[in-house]
């Protein structure tokens, strides 16, 4: 088993049936004995990811979709920044999903996701995602009104229906070569408070503070229930959830890196094979270049 597999597997949920959030500790640091050890592995992960990404891009066939979901201050932005620091920006797109715009609300909920799916060969990162439709919208069902779904279709089964739709959608993506990874950065309520306080106290963190985030904290238990139910219903073999401990940022980042590296190791993207026709083309090009060179010298 590779280090990436060993580090990420304990947090991978492929079958939601038995999932309980309370079995996962936000303060867990696995078998890592120090921050330095984690940093070394993170660098190793970043280097491996960079190599795999070059092949993924060259192969131009498979792509990766990486969803990040979490409570505020769980470290989504930092994880994206650190973990993706070694990848070629040309092969990678990051999209933050915010409160839907009026144009987005004029469409069905998955419409905006469709436009942002990664192209072949690319890595697409969603900072929040279509999962908000069963998280913030579930915790604040009044948001459903803005979506203007015909009222007769908004029944007590709405969440079950949405889980089903998401599962079908993800199966469609995986059948078409889009490999899906989903991260839930699992933060404790206590650590969130510490991070909010730091945003208030440290001038260079003030810009990150939002009073709305503190108001959302009141709904903590509702969110945890929504997250648990979401994972129960949408963790599948083809689109697993990783429930990543988030109270220690250094651990969060190395687990995220490990999960991505492990996925790429299993996918094994490779440079496209040179077929006989292409080889002929390469040989002809070489002759032409060598001819030019001798002509210049002559
Ligand atoms: P942030 O990621 O902190 O910039 O905040 C983005 C905000 O947009 C969060 O409060 C999300 O809950 C909210 N948001 C994202 N997607 C949706 C959605 N589909 N419906 C309603 N609110 C959303
Ligand atoms: Mg925010």
């Amino acid at each position: 088993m590779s280090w990436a597999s060993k580090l990420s597997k304990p947090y991978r949920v492929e079958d939601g049936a038995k999932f309980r959030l309370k079995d996962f500790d936000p303060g867990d640091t696995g078998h890592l004995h120090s921050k330095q050890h984690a940093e070394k592995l993170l660098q190793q992960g970043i280097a491996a990811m960079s190599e795999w990404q070059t092949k993924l891009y060259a192969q131009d066939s498979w792509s990766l979709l990486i969803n990040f979901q979490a409570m505020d201050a769980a470290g989504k932005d930092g994880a994206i920044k650190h973990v993706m620091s070694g990848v070629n920006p040309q092969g990678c797109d990051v999209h933050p999903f915010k409160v839907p715009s009026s144009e987005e609300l004029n469409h069905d909920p998955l419409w905006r996701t469709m436009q942002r799916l990664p192209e072949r060969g690319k890595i697409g990162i969603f900072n929040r995602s279509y999962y908000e439709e069963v998280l913030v919208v579930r915790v604040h069902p009044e948001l459903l009104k803005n979506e203007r779904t015909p009222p007769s279709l908004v029944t007590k089964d709405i969440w079950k229906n949405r889980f089903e739709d998401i599962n079908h959608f993800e199966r469609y993506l995986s059948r078409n070569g889009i490999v899906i990874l989903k991260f839930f950065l699992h933060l404790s309520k206590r650590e969130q408070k510490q991070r909010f306080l730091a945003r208030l106290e440290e001038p260079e963190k003030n810009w990150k503070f939002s009073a709305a985030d503190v108001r959302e904290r009141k709904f903590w238990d509702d969110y945890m229930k929504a997250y648990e139910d979401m994972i129960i219903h949408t963790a599948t073999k083809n689109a697993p959830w990783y429930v990543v401990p988030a109270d220690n940022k250094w651990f969060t980042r190395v687990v995220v890196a490990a999960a991505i590296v492990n996925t790429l190791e299993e996918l094994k993207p490779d440079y496209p094979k040179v077929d006989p026709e292409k080889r002929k083309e390469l040989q002809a090009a070489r002759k032409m270049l060598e001819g030019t060179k001798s002509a210049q010298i002559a």
Side-chain angles (χ1 to χ4, degrees):
M1 211 195 317
S2 73
W3 70 270
S5 164
K6 191 170 163 211
L7 194 54
S8 59
K9 284 259 163 79
Y11 308 105
R12 175 151 140 187
V13 185
E14 289 185 346
D15 172 11
K18 284 185 281 274
F19 177 75
R20 290 295 169 265
L21 196 52
K22 67 169 173 41
D23 298 336
F24 289 74
D25 172 11
D28 183 12
T29 53
H31 62 280
L32 298 193
H33 41 79
S34 70
K35 224 167 152 167
Q36 286 70 25
H37 183 195
E39 180 58 29
K40 228 177 100 196
L41 287 177
L42 177 60
Q43 291 314 319
Q44 202 174 318
I46 289 169
M49 215 184 295
S50 168
E51 278 187 36
W52 284 120
Q53 188 214 6
T54 308
K55 292 179 175 170
L56 189 80
Y57 190 78
Q59 194 175 42
D60 205 12
S61 182
W62 293 98
S63 51
L64 235 60
L65 171 62
I66 308 178
N67 285 339
F68 282 92
Q69 288 293 158
M71 295 299 281
D72 289 300
K76 287 190 274 79
D77 296 13
I80 293 168
K81 176 175 154 188
H82 285 84
V83 173
M84 306 313 288
S85 62
V87 303
N88 179 352
Q90 193 145 268
C92 176
D93 291 309
V94 185
H95 296 289
F97 285 91
K98 307 282 182 182
V99 175
S101 68
S102 53
E103 189 192 17
E104 288 165 350
L105 286 170
N106 274 333
H107 296 267
D108 61 280
L110 281 177
W111 179 78
R112 64 176 182 167
T113 297
M114 291 292 187
Q115 349 249 317
R116 304 290 184 213
L117 290 172
E119 290 172 26
R120 300 222 174 269
K122 283 202 170 188
I123 299 178
I125 296 173
F126 287 180
N127 185 345
R128 301 185 190 273
S129 68
Y130 46 93
Y131 279 101
E132 291 290 333
E133 293 296 335
V134 292
L135 293 168
V136 68
V137 184
R138 189 170 189 185
V139 172
H140 301 286
E142 63 277 12
L143 291 172
L144 276 171
K145 282 203 192 76
N146 304 338
E147 297 188 4
R148 307 201 314 280
T149 312
S152 63
L153 300 178
V154 184
T155 68
K156 64 172 184 14
D157 290 333
I158 177 100
W159 312 114
K160 193 175 136 257
N161 293 346
R162 286 192 168 190
F163 291 140
E164 240 175 64
D165 293 341
I166 288 176
N167 287 331
H168 287 155
F169 171 61
E170 291 182 341
R171 196 166 64 196
Y172 162 79
L173 296 183
S174 49
R175 279 178 173 163
N176 284 281
I178 298 168
V179 177
I180 308 161
L181 287 93
K182 306 179 295 200
F183 292 108
F184 166 44
L185 306 192
H186 182 27
L187 181 74
S188 70
K189 194 175 181 190
R190 202 179 52 192
E191 179 61 21
Q192 190 198 46
K193 182 175 170 183
Q194 296 311 315
R195 292 188 189 173
F196 281 166
L197 288 172
R199 287 178 179 187
L200 289 170
E201 278 153 23
E202 297 169 35
E204 68 277 19
K205 288 190 179 165
N206 284 171
W207 67 275
K208 278 200 155 188
F209 181 79
S210 141
D213 292 352
V214 176
R215 283 197 296 275
E216 240 13 49
R217 223 175 118 74
K218 291 209 194 87
F219 299 94
W220 186 273
D221 293 346
D222 296 335
Y223 271 107
M224 291 307 113
K225 267 194 229 140
Y227 270 108
E228 184 175 74
D229 208 37
M230 169 191 85
I231 294 169
I232 287 174
H233 288 95
T234 60
T236 61
K237 192 147 183 15
N238 283 329
W241 275 103
Y242 289 87
V243 180
V244 185
D247 278 5
N248 298 284
K249 290 178 183 172
W250 54 269
F251 190 66
T252 309
R253 291 168 189 171
V254 74
V255 172
V256 169
I260 301 172
V261 169
N262 185 228
T263 303
L264 287 164
E265 280 171 350
E266 285 173 7
L267 187 65
K268 286 194 186 51
D270 205 354
Y271 295 111
K273 290 263 175 303
V274 176
D275 57 28
E277 205 170 309
K278 178 86 178 173
R279 190 165 303 285
K280 260 192 220 153
E281 214 181 286
L282 296 178
Q283 278 161 354
R286 160 178 262 167
K287 268 196 197 133
M288 219 159 87
L289 285 168
E290 284 171 346
T292 322
K293 197 169 140 202
S294 48
Q296 270 173 355
I297 292 166

